[in-house]
Amino acid sequence: QVQLVESGGGSVQSGGSLRLSCAASGYTYSDVCMGWFRQAPGKGREGVAAIDSDGRTRYADSVKGRFTISQDNAKNTLHLQMNSLNPDDTAMYYCAALYAGSCPPLTLPSYYDYWGQGTQVTVSS
C-alpha cells in the first residue's frame, strides 16, 4: 500500500520561500511518477509540478521559474522548492503518485492513484 505524507507547509510573506517534502513508502514497482497539486478554497485541483523516474519534469506555467521539483535517489522523498511566493500560491498542497514510466499532463489529476493528506501553504501580502 503506497503511503504519501507531506510536510513543510506554513505561512510566509509575499516574496518568501518554502520547501515542501513528501515521504513515500510502499512502492512495489520502480517506475513511478510523482507530482504536486494544489487546491485553493472554492477552486478545482491544479497541477503544479511532476517528475518521473528518469527525472523528467513538468511545471504549470504559473510556477515556472519559481518552483523546483526534485526527488532523492532512492525516490523515497519528493520535494518542492517554492521561491518568490505570492498570495495566488495560497492553497492546500498535495503530493500524488502513480505507477508510470512518464508523467501524464498536469491537467489530469485523476490519473494519479495515490494521494497524501495535504499541507497548507498561506502567503500573505
Side-chain angles (χ1 to χ4, degrees):
Q1 181 74 12
V2 174
Q3 291 189 327
L4 305 173
V5 180
E6 303 96 334
S7 62
S11 297
V12 64
Q13 289 190 328
S14 186
S17 298
L18 282 174
R19 180 177 170 87
L20 304 183
S21 295
C22 173
S25 61
Y27 286 141
T28 304
Y29 305 104
S30 59
D31 285 342
V32 178
C33 164
M34 297 190 72
W36 288 100
F37 293 80
R38 65 187 181 186
Q39 188 164 14
K43 296 187 177 181
R45 192 158 291 189
E46 175 191 18
V48 176
I51 187 168
D52 67 21
S53 298
D54 291 327
R56 292 172 295 197
T57 58
R58 294 178 182 263
Y59 291 96
D61 288 343
S62 60
V63 306
K64 280 181 181 177
R66 300 189 299 122
F67 291 11
T68 303
I69 190 171
S70 63
Q71 59 188 4
D72 68 11
N73 291 335
K75 294 178 287 186
N76 289 330
T77 307
L78 180 72
H79 300 288
L80 185 68
Q81 179 65 44
M82 305 186 295
N83 299 329
S84 302
L85 286 161
N86 61 65
D88 290 338
D89 297 315
T90 295
M92 184 71 78
Y93 283 70
Y94 298 91
C95 173
L98 76 153
Y99 290 119
S102 61
C103 292
L106 290 169
T107 54
L108 299 172
S110 62
Y111 277 45
Y112 287 75
D113 297 314
Y114 306 100
W115 292 83
Q117 294 300 306
T119 185
Q120 178 68 38
V121 172
T122 302
V123 185
S124 57
S125 57

